[in-house]
Amino acid sequence: SRLEETIKNTLSQNPVVVYSKSWCSYCSEVKSLFKKLGVQPLVIELDELGPQGPQLQKLLERITGQYTVPNVFIEQFISDPKVFFIAGGNHIGGCTDTLKLYRKGDLETLVSEAVAK
Amino acid sequence: SRLEETIKNTLSQNPVVVYSKSWCSYCSEVKSLFKKLGVQPLVIELDELGPQGPQLQKLLERITGQYTVPNVFIEQFISDPKVFFIAGGNHIGGCTDTLKLYRKGDLETLVSEAVAK
Ligand SMILES: N[C@@H](CCC(=O)N[C@@H](CS)C(=O)NCC(=O)O)C(=O)O
Ligand SMILES: N[C@@H](CCC(=O)N[C@@H](CS)C(=O)NCC(=O)O)C(=O)O
Ligand code: FES
């Protein structure tokens, strides 16, 4: 579908993507975390897209199994170019998952690899 | 106004009150914190009240200076009965304020005093 193509393009053209809602503190935490790591993610505020917002949110749930925001993606190397777009492969998770990776030191690694690519 | 009276009654009849939104993780954190302290706050989900929700939220901002959720109140002793209802006197704050008090050990004290009253 057209919306699926939009997501594919967004994820393939941006090393770090956060689907967010502008009023949400969990989303703010994730955004400032990336800012702290010196990376500017592409942020998509689902509450600022009119009717397309809920459509995107449901489609993201279909692709990743996650309905909630923040919904975080980081581009990761996949050796087989035929499987470049697997949202599951890029999907980091929500606020808690992102913070977990950060505390383990893994988030910084993933981000620098994605940005370098 | 009628809505102001509603808030006054709510705050005077319940030792712990949380104005919340059902989908919000900051609100969930505050709710489970009180549950951990063994107290069941009165929770008012502003997103489940139809048009009254936004009205309440604006009125709470007028009374406390705080527009955001969670908006936490704990009944506190005020020696002069003439000033029993001063929302500023009962107003704890949001998620961050509540967590700060919890880590200092003050939240538990405030809650047990309010519940005992
Ligand atoms: N544990 C998840 C919680 C995610 C969550 O519950 N997000 C809320 C907002 S804080 C949500 O998306 N609620 C439904 C909605 O806003 O549509 C995380 O760490 O990201
Ligand atoms: N630092 C505040 C943040 C409060 C906040 O930004 N709350 C958000 C939801 S997480 C909010 O109320 N946004 C406006 C709204 O939902 O109407 C706290 O700790 O409670
Ligand atoms: S809406 Fe409050 S933390 Fe997300």
Side-chain angles (χ1 to χ4, degrees), chain A residues 26 29-30 33-34 37 64-74 76 90-108 110, chain B residues 25:
Chain A
Y26 262 33
E29 283 193 24
V30 162
L33 183 56
F34 283 117
L37 295 181
T64 66
Q66 179 183 321
Y67 177 73
T68 56
V69 292
N71 205 335
V72 181
F73 295 83
I74 299 178
Q76 293 166 49
N90 286 0
H91 185 238
I92 294 299
C95 180
T96 309
D97 304 312
T98 305
L99 284 171
K100 257 194 214 134
L101 282 178
Y102 171 70
R103 290 192 205 106
K104 290 205 289 170
D106 292 347
L107 191 70
E108 208 154 349
L110 286 170
Chain B
S25 295

Side-chain angles (χ1 to χ4, degrees), chain A residues 21 23-29 69-70, chain B residues 21 23-29 69-70:
Chain A
K21 289 189 184 179
W23 61 64
C24 168
S25 295
Y26 262 33
C27 298
S28 313
E29 283 193 24
V69 292
Chain B
K21 289 190 186 179
W23 61 64
C24 168
S25 295
Y26 262 33
C27 298
S28 313
E29 283 192 25
V69 291

Side-chain angles (χ1 to χ4, degrees), chain A:
Chain A
S1 75
R2 247 197 76 235
L3 209 56
E4 279 178 358
E5 284 308 304
T6 305
I7 294 183
K8 279 194 193 182
N9 292 335
T10 302
L11 295 183
S12 59
Q13 292 163 17
N14 296 279
V16 184
V17 179
V18 180
Y19 290 91
S20 163
K21 289 189 184 179
S22 61
W23 61 64
C24 168
S25 295
Y26 262 33
C27 298
S28 313
E29 283 193 24
V30 162
K31 290 173 211 166
S32 26
L33 183 56
F34 283 117
K35 182 173 179 182
K36 194 154 122 187
L37 295 181
V39 63
Q40 174 72 307
L42 179 73
V43 176
I44 294 150
E45 303 290 4
L46 294 177
D47 58 296
E48 293 174 356
L49 300 176
Q52 209 183 52
Q55 289 172 17
L56 258 177
Q57 192 167 355
K58 292 203 193 88
L59 183 53
L60 286 166
E61 179 181 29
R62 207 152 60 67
I63 299 173
T64 66
Q66 179 183 321
Y67 177 73
T68 56
V69 292
N71 205 335
V72 181
F73 295 83
I74 299 178
E75 228 174 356
Q76 293 166 49
F77 288 97
I78 297 175
S79 44
D80 183 345
K82 283 205 297 304
V83 296
F84 173 69
F85 174 72
I86 300 177
N90 286 0
H91 185 238
I92 294 299
C95 180
T96 309
D97 304 312
T98 305
L99 284 171
K100 257 194 214 134
L101 282 178
Y102 171 70
R103 290 192 205 106
K104 290 205 289 170
D106 292 347
L107 191 70
E108 208 154 349
T109 309
L110 286 170
V111 162
S112 43
E113 287 179 355
V115 168
K117 192 155 169 277

